Amino acid sequence: MKKTRFAAYVGATFAMSALLSSCQLFTGYHQIEAADSADNWSGKIYPVAGETNIACVGTYHCEITRIDQTPTIAEETHQPVDRNIVIVKPDKDKVPLVDTKAVKLVPLSASGISGLTNYYARVKPIKREVQVNFYPENNLEYVERFTVIHEFVAGTYQLRAYKVQSQQKDSSLLTSASPNPLCIELIQDGTIKRRFCKQVDTERQGEFVETGVFDDTVTS
């Protein structure tokens, strides 16, 4: 079978390992090239004027489960809740969305977990709440749930997951034994806008906390 490398951004292949010297990106997402249905999707986002595209990347699999009050991908089946909102031919079907409540899902690429598909969402640009499930391992039992509220504008967004690699050479045995925290970046048209990292301390353990704004940082 012909193998094709996909990226989750508009017509470009990202060198994920070069994103940040202090970050260790998951390798699972790159395994989509070996998935059985890898040739079915282009790995490309097809922008429509005046709309917002939202994709998730960085782990074996990820799903946008809800946008505002609209469920999109079912957690139990990992399939679109409503097949009527799926656009199968995004390169040809570019009919603009009619209102702010409309949501469309578009197949993006084969997942790193066999048999699943990664989708991106098309919506109108307003302030929205987006819920995403990330699967850091090739295991659907291990899921990291993330929610962000953001004022989206027209363009393409990624919610990209990675793990922070410790820079402390003389860290204690307890610190070195702790897992590297999971972080998620909100990237708008290639520029990092927001970053959230999961806290490992006892007071806020398990919470994603925003760590800063990066308007001038451009991803590689």
Side-chain angles (χ1 to χ4, degrees):
M1 176 184 290
K2 179 181 177 181
K3 294 184 178 181
T4 305
R5 181 174 297 274
F6 298 99
Y9 197 59
V10 184
T13 300
F14 285 91
M16 301 289 271
S17 60
L19 174 64
L20 293 170
S21 59
S22 62
C23 298
Q24 179 184 358
L25 286 166
F26 290 111
T27 59
Y29 190 74
H30 295 289
Q31 295 185 11
I32 59 175
E33 64 182 359
D36 293 339
S37 57
D39 286 339
N40 291 347
W41 318 117
S42 67
K44 180 179 179 179
I45 289 177
Y46 295 88
V48 177
E51 291 187 7
T52 299
N53 304 294
I54 306 173
C56 60
V57 297
T59 53
Y60 275 82
H61 183 66
C62 59
E63 301 166 343
I64 299 174
T65 58
R66 181 180 293 272
I67 297 179
D68 297 330
Q69 300 304 312
T70 303
T72 48
I73 302 293
E75 293 191 52
E76 297 80 11
T77 64
H78 309 286
Q79 300 297 326
V81 174
D82 182 359
R83 299 301 303 184
N84 292 324
I85 70 171
V86 177
I87 297 176
V88 179
K89 297 181 178 180
D91 56 332
K92 298 179 180 179
D93 185 356
K94 292 189 176 183
V95 178
L97 300 177
V98 294
D99 58 55
T100 57
K101 293 184 178 181
V103 177
K104 292 292 185 180
L105 291 179
V106 185
L108 180 65
S109 62
S111 169
I113 296 180
S114 179
L116 300 184
T117 299
N118 288 326
Y119 293 84
Y120 72 89
R122 281 176 49 190
V123 292
K124 299 289 283 185
I126 59 171
K127 187 175 184 178
R128 295 185 180 277
E129 178 180 297
V130 180
Q131 298 178 24
V132 183
N133 284 356
F134 288 93
Y135 297 85
E137 299 177 358
N138 192 2
N139 175 13
L140 291 175
E141 298 301 319
Y142 172 28
V143 57
E144 295 280 2
R145 294 178 173 85
F146 174 76
T147 300
V148 63
I149 298 175
H150 187 74
E151 187 76 43
F152 290 94
V153 299
T156 296
Y157 290 81
Q158 284 182 308
L159 286 163
R160 180 155 59 190
Y162 65 91
K163 281 191 174 181
V164 173
Q165 189 173 17
S166 175
Q167 299 296 305
Q168 297 181 2
K169 296 181 180 180
D170 299 325
S171 59
S172 66
L173 180 61
L174 179 61
T175 301
S176 60
S178 301
N180 295 330
L182 178 69
C183 293
I184 296 170
E185 290 175 337
L186 177 66
I187 302 172
Q188 176 191 344
D189 294 324
T191 300
I192 301 172
K193 291 298 184 181
R194 302 172 69 181
R195 179 179 295 155
F196 306 82
C197 289
K198 199 165 190 178
Q199 302 302 296
V200 295
D201 58 83
T202 56
E203 292 184 0
R204 308 184 73 174
Q205 187 172 6
E207 294 182 21
F208 281 100
V209 176
E210 188 161 5
T211 61
V213 180
F214 306 88
D215 289 333
D216 296 325
T217 305
V218 179
T219 64
S220 58

